Amino acid sequence: LSGETYPCESFVGHDGADPGYLVTAQSNLTGTRQFAVLVNHLAPGDVAGDEAAQQAFRDLVYAAACD
């Protein structure tokens, strides 16, 4: 497990690290909010697409955590 702190609150979770997927699954510390975001990718390395696609993933994770 790893910890992640967003402006709204702190979460614990796991990044998955499965080949072919960019994944994060997290829960806040009180257990009242959980989310998982998964993206398929076939790019070399542990990235999903170009910088715009990577930013879209980060934006979605932030929205899942805080909105």
Side-chain angles (χ1 to χ4, degrees):
L1 291 176
S2 62
E4 192 71 43
T5 301
Y6 300 97
C8 58
E9 61 185 309
S10 295
F11 286 77
V12 294
H14 192 273
D15 69 3
D18 290 325
Y21 299 92
L22 183 58
V23 179
T24 187
Q26 300 181 20
S27 175
N28 66 0
L29 301 181
T30 61
T32 57
R33 185 177 195 118
Q34 300 84 34
F35 66 89
V37 178
L38 297 88
V39 176
N40 295 1
H41 69 85
L42 299 175
D46 196 18
V47 298
D50 61 11
E51 181 57 37
Q54 294 169 36
Q55 185 61 51
F57 181 85
R58 289 188 296 270
D59 292 346
L60 183 57
V61 169
Y62 179 86
C66 297
D67 290 345

